[in-house]
Amino acid sequence: MAKKFVVTLKKSTIGCSQEQKDAVRCLGLKKIRSSAEVNDTPANRGQIMKVQHLVDVVVKG
């Protein structure tokens, strides 16, 4: 069973670069306090690192 992350958007993307907004959208987050469960892949880890100041991450499994 693969490890997963539960990612929650905690801050707004207003004032962020387009690259950071795209990373938030690709993680499946739309509104503040929305959560998404993503697989632990190098691509997802990179996106989380780009927006680590905007999200909370919990390791699941």
Side-chain angles (χ1 to χ4, degrees):
M1 185 170 174
K3 192 163 53 169
K4 295 191 175 205
F5 296 123
V6 177
V7 184
T8 304
L9 187 62
K10 65 178 182 177
K11 292 181 78 177
S12 173
T13 57
I14 295 173
C16 292
S17 67
Q18 187 61 45
E19 190 173 299
Q20 290 172 331
K21 290 178 184 179
D22 292 342
V24 168
R25 183 62 61 153
C26 287
L27 287 169
L29 305 173
K30 295 183 179 180
K31 296 182 176 182
I32 296 176
R33 290 186 295 278
S34 66
S35 295
E37 191 172 301
V38 297
N39 291 325
D40 181 12
T41 63
N44 286 339
R45 280 180 179 252
Q47 289 175 340
I48 289 169
M49 292 302 291
K50 280 184 187 176
V51 294
Q52 62 186 344
H53 59 289
L54 300 175
V55 296
D56 280 332
V57 180
V58 178
V59 178
K60 182 178 180 184

